[in-house]
Amino acid sequence: MPRRGGLAQGRELALWPYWGTGCNLLFHRQTALDIGLFRTDLGRRGRWMGDCEDLEFIDRARQAGHQTLIELAAVASHPVYRPETTLTYFVRQGAGHGVCVARMHLSVIVEPAAIQADRAAVHTAVVNLAAGWTFLDRARAVEGARDLARIGAYHLERGRLRLLGRRPIALRQHTPNKEMVDSGDRCNTL
């Protein structure tokens, strides 16, 4: 495949803002040896609607100096069944996401824009819930309910972790331990 600036054509470096997903994640064995495997307290288990294990792994690799590439032409799809379209499902998913983002703070520096749990986010979620309910816009109401569950779960989990003495990584504590390499045919990628 022809290369553009050291990267294969059709691929781009994943820089913030990006949304990586582990549904089809490839990485060098050495990356996992350098940074460790996926965190077991994140991700889905049984009825627990956790997520972010792939995002945390990608952020940990990036912050350790590895590059993350996105294949722009890649498409992943899966069927969505009726139970995955209910209000209960979305609220559970939102709460699980909030807990997992709070837990990500223990091992990676989470981009502030990825958190979206401040007063403005609460205001937006309440407006969406009220507007959706009032104007019978079910999708907007569900989005508001999911976001309120996510924000509440995020703050509750952050508080629980503080009570347990588990402190998030501060920006000044983070120092990449690996040089980024980007030379022609060889690219230090995930």
Side-chain angles (χ1 to χ4, degrees):
M1 185 176 278
R3 300 183 84 72
R4 173 179 36 98
L7 301 177
Q9 233 176 12
R11 293 189 179 139
E12 289 187 9
L13 276 176
L15 303 172
W16 185 258
Y18 72 92
W19 188 258
T21 178
C23 65
N24 195 6
L25 180 66
L26 302 172
F27 52 89
H28 293 286
R29 180 177 182 270
Q30 190 59 46
T31 299
L33 294 174
D34 289 349
I35 67 168
L37 297 175
F38 290 95
R39 287 184 42 193
T40 58
D41 63 328
L42 305 175
R44 293 188 182 201
R45 291 184 315 275
R47 294 184 48 82
W48 165 245
M49 297 285 288
D51 58 10
C52 296
E53 73 282 5
D54 47 0
L55 297 176
E56 190 275 341
F57 182 85
I58 291 168
D59 280 350
R60 200 164 11 113
R62 242 182 2 104
Q63 291 171 16
H66 296 275
Q67 291 180 345
T68 302
L69 301 177
I70 295 177
E71 175 61 56
L72 299 177
V75 176
S77 63
H78 62 84
V80 177
Y81 300 102
R82 185 158 181 78
E84 297 172 346
T85 63
T86 64
L87 174 62
T88 302
Y89 180 89
F90 282 105
V91 169
R92 286 180 53 229
Q93 188 273 334
H97 183 73
V99 168
C100 290
V101 170
R103 290 177 182 175
M104 281 177 62
H105 286 284
L106 300 174
S107 57
V108 296
I109 298 168
V110 180
E111 299 283 347
I115 300 167
Q116 296 182 11
D118 58 1
R119 289 177 195 243
V122 171
H123 179 264
T124 301
V126 169
V127 166
N128 280 338
L129 181 62
W133 197 284
T134 305
F135 298 112
L136 302 176
D137 182 352
R138 184 173 168 85
R140 193 168 177 191
V142 168
E143 179 184 353
R146 182 200 62 212
D147 287 345
L148 286 173
R150 175 184 53 78
I151 293 165
Y154 171 81
H155 288 294
L156 287 170
E157 183 67 4
R158 288 288 305 258
R160 187 185 79 80
L161 293 170
R162 276 191 215 106
L163 287 173
L164 293 173
R166 310 233 3 233
R167 300 285 178 215
I169 293 178
L171 279 173
R172 67 181 182 283
Q173 293 175 318
H174 174 71
T175 53
N177 60 7
K178 190 172 177 106
E179 292 290 318
M180 288 181 70
V181 178
D182 186 5
S183 59
D185 290 329
R186 194 170 147 219
C187 202
N188 187 18
T189 60
L190 244 173

